[in-house]
Amino acid sequence: MNPQQRPNVIVILADDMGFADLGATGSEIRTPHIDGMARRGALMSAMYNCARCCPTRASLLTGLYPHKAGIGHMGTHLGDPAYQGFLRDDAATIAERLKADGYRTLMSGKWHVGGDLWATRVANWRVGDPDRPTPLQRGFDRFYGILDGVTHHFSPHCIFEDDRPVSVSPTDFYFTDAITDKAIGMIDESVLLDQPFFLYLAHAAPHWPMHAHEEDIARYDGVYNKGWDAIRTARHEEMLSKGVLQHPWTISSRDASAPAWRDAAHHDWEAARMAVYAAMVDRMDQSIGRLLEALKRLGQYDNTLIMFLSDNGGCAEFMAEDGWAQFYPDVHNDGRRIQLGNRPDLLPGGPLTFMSYDLPWANASNAPFRLFKHWVHEGGISTPLVVQWPARIRETGVVHTPGHVIDLLPTILEATGTATANEVGGRNMLAPDGESLLPLLTGRNWSRAQPLFWEHEGNCAVRIGNLKLVRKFQSPWELYDMEDDRTELHDLAPGNASIIRRMERDFASWANHAGVMDWNLLVPRLLAAWQMGDVSG
């Protein structure tokens, strides 16, 4: 490929955003820039992630299943290479592969694949140690953002620029805005250097804690007063009208742990929490609009391949003061006290709060599917993939063929003309597990050659063609036909024992090859790490 014609590549990753949270997939949230990319390019309706933040990020960056990349669980080292909590040396990142082939490699946002860096123990961080690799140690030329998994969006506990901590303004800082500003500056530098660039823009929005600008929250004043049941139904109906779903599947029932809206307490507060969440997604879309304008200003718009997706489904975690919140600083960087936890006596969204939007709203985010982040039913692993590349991809529309985050690296390598080298930086590398989606996105015939697999905390699944075998930890296998019933309402397991045995054997073979361990054996190790305060969330 002619160096002057090599495309730039941008991967934009949202954090804990559900399948139904974009305008393009039926949401009332305003996302005109992402929706525009979907219209001009392609929207993959059956894209999959790995059900949790850092396993997905590890897979995206390496093209490997997360266990093979070293992050079979989260950031805690559980005593095995598949569960070491940071990227393995034999798992080459996109940045390492592209940098070796002449690209300038840029990252702005959330890293979360460099081991445990616990927010309450910043003074003890061993950043840059072999078991605490930073983006610059894994192929990136530039980095700005957070190394761990969560941040206060107005008052981050530790921001890094390249490999050094930097201070931020106590009065004029918002993480989504800041990482976008830095990303645009990095692109400016690359254009001046006349190098093609790869940018990984890894958002921390709309992951808890929920913080947003007042003017963005105001745009959703009153929108959610009708409640989660009405919002969920409206999103499903809008999806059907837009052709987002391959077939008019019936929406799954409201989750058993979610009360009917009419029975919920604190209606005004609940509506306000969802308004903040919507504002966070809205602001992320605004930032993407600024990025697109920068590409146009620099003459890079047409020949830049952009991919947008989410790292898992909507998050049902409740933000109790003595739960996740206790592991994060309770003092703003201007000295004021932060009130931790989901407290109905506090208006959500401001810099002195630390809240989540909770299970019932996450159920709406994941419409029409079942369950949430952490589980490997469709609600936990489904994300829209929006792809734009004006020079090569022309109004492809909605694509229903299944894809997976392991496919992004092979797709990028093919698009950039980069060989899949077995050795990078003098190290032997594992061959990627994924398959290039470029033929599919450019209108050529393509079908997946290999099954798809998932395992997270004992939740397991395998998809072979239209059949998906799935189970919760310590529960029986369920069997679904994804073409007839992607909302997983009609379990075909009864009467199909032979199919289940065959698919279970395929899963067991993959699990053995990938290094998957029995979750029952890992739980005691994780609990021990919890007791030591050495675990990431």
Side-chain angles (χ1 to χ4, degrees), residues 232-233 235-237 248-253 367-369 487 489:
R232 194 163 178 264
T233 298
R235 289 184 174 189
H236 180 233
E237 291 174 350
W249 299 303
T250 302
I251 191 171
S252 60
S253 299
F369 303 124
T487 49
L489 302 182

Side-chain angles (χ1 to χ4, degrees), residues 22-298:
L22 297 176
T25 56
S27 179
E28 69 295 329
I29 300 175
R30 305 176 203 189
T31 55
H33 300 102
I34 300 170
D35 300 346
M37 290 197 299
R39 285 194 306 273
R40 293 185 293 271
L43 187 153
M44 290 188 63
S45 69
M47 190 68 181
Y48 288 118
N49 50 52
C50 300
R52 199 85 174 264
C53 299
C54 53
T56 290
R57 289 159 197 265
S59 276
L60 184 157
L61 285 167
T62 65
L64 298 166
Y65 284 107
H67 309 77
K68 292 172 70 174
I71 305 183
H73 180 237
M74 299 290 283
T76 305
H77 200 317
L78 299 179
D80 185 90
Y83 296 87
Q84 65 184 29
F86 57 95
L87 294 178
R88 284 169 40 164
D89 287 342
D90 57 357
T93 67
I94 300 172
E96 287 171 319
R97 292 183 182 277
L98 292 184
K99 182 174 182 176
D101 202 35
Y103 271 75
R104 186 163 173 80
T105 52
L106 320 169
M107 181 182 171
S108 193
K110 167 178 163 178
W111 181 229
H112 205 200
V113 287
D116 263 331
L117 294 168
W118 214 200
T120 51
R121 303 169 67 190
V122 172
N124 298 324
W125 281 12
R126 302 192 312 276
V127 175
D129 281 0
D131 59 350
R132 300 292 192 280
T134 70
L136 267 63
Q137 293 170 304
R138 295 312 309 259
F140 287 96
D141 292 310
R142 296 295 315 280
F143 169 65
Y144 178 87
I146 59 172
L147 295 172
D148 55 335
V150 180
T151 191
H152 189 296
H153 295 268
F154 289 114
S155 175
H157 49 270
C158 197
I159 290 282
F160 273 73
E161 185 151 19
D162 297 330
D163 270 350
R164 65 185 187 279
V166 294
S167 300
V168 301
S169 167
T171 58
D172 186 24
F173 182 91
Y174 186 68
F175 191 73
T176 298
D177 298 338
I179 64 172
T180 304
D181 290 342
K182 289 292 184 178
I184 292 171
M186 293 175 190
I187 292 173
D188 283 335
E189 292 174 0
S190 299
V191 173
L192 286 173
L193 293 169
D194 197 25
Q195 272 187 284
F197 63 83
F198 164 63
L199 167 66
Y200 176 39
L201 181 56
H203 284 278
H207 193 298
W208 53 258
M210 295 192 312
H211 297 124
H213 292 289
E214 290 182 3
E215 62 267 30
D216 292 330
I217 299 172
R219 302 175 78 181
Y220 297 93
D221 184 34
V223 171
Y224 297 105
N225 291 347
K226 63 189 74 171
W228 43 70
D229 293 324
I231 291 294
R232 194 163 178 264
T233 298
R235 289 184 174 189
H236 180 233
E237 291 174 350
E238 188 68 12
M239 282 180 207
L240 295 176
S241 71
K242 290 176 177 288
V244 173
L245 303 179
Q246 185 177 9
H247 298 294
W249 299 303
T250 302
I251 191 171
S252 60
S253 299
R254 181 197 319 114
D255 190 87
S257 298
W261 176 254
R262 64 178 178 273
D263 298 327
H266 313 297
H267 279 180
D268 290 345
W269 178 71
E270 292 286 10
R273 281 204 290 174
M274 187 59 191
V276 176
Y277 178 91
M280 294 175 76
V281 176
D282 187 319
R283 192 69 170 204
M284 179 170 59
D285 182 81
Q286 293 176 49
S287 79
I288 291 170
R290 291 197 292 117
L291 183 67
L292 296 176
E293 285 303 313
L295 292 174
K296 292 176 181 177
R297 169 177 57 83
L298 294 166

Side-chain angles (χ1 to χ4, degrees), residues 17 71 122 142 198 289 338 443 447 466 485 500 503:
M17 188 197 78
I71 305 183
V122 172
R142 296 295 315 280
F198 164 63
I338 298 169
S447 60
N466 291 331
D485 179 31
I500 292 174
M503 295 182 72

Side-chain angles (χ1 to χ4, degrees), residues 381-452:
I381 59 175
S382 296
T383 175
L385 173 67
V386 175
V387 183
Q388 174 182 299
W389 187 6
R392 291 284 303 277
I393 299 171
R394 303 293 179 86
E395 298 184 6
T396 303
V398 180
V399 178
H400 300 301
T401 305
H404 191 284
V405 289
I406 57 174
D407 300 328
L408 266 62
L409 181 146
T411 303
I412 291 168
L413 295 187
E414 183 178 358
T416 59
T418 302
T420 308
N422 296 324
E423 183 180 297
V424 178
R427 308 192 311 269
N428 291 326
M429 295 298 168
L430 296 171
D433 291 315
E435 305 173 34
S436 174
L437 300 172
L438 195 60
L440 177 68
L441 295 169
T442 52
R444 288 174 278 165
N445 291 328
W446 183 87
S447 60
R448 178 168 295 281
Q450 300 295 326
L452 293 172

Side-chain angles (χ1 to χ4, degrees), residues 325-376:
Q326 68 178 311
F327 298 109
Y328 295 91
D330 62 355
V331 177
H332 192 283
N333 60 17
D334 66 4
R336 292 179 293 170
R337 180 70 60 180
I338 298 169
Q339 301 297 318
L340 302 175
N342 285 337
R343 296 179 45 176
D345 60 319
L346 294 177
L347 191 66
L352 301 184
T353 66
F354 201 100
M355 300 187 189
S356 67
Y357 77 154
D358 209 353
L359 184 148
W361 286 120
N363 198 196
S365 284
N366 296 336
F369 303 124
R370 290 172 52 197
L371 293 175
F372 314 93
K373 166 186 176 179
H374 169 92
W375 287 274
V376 296

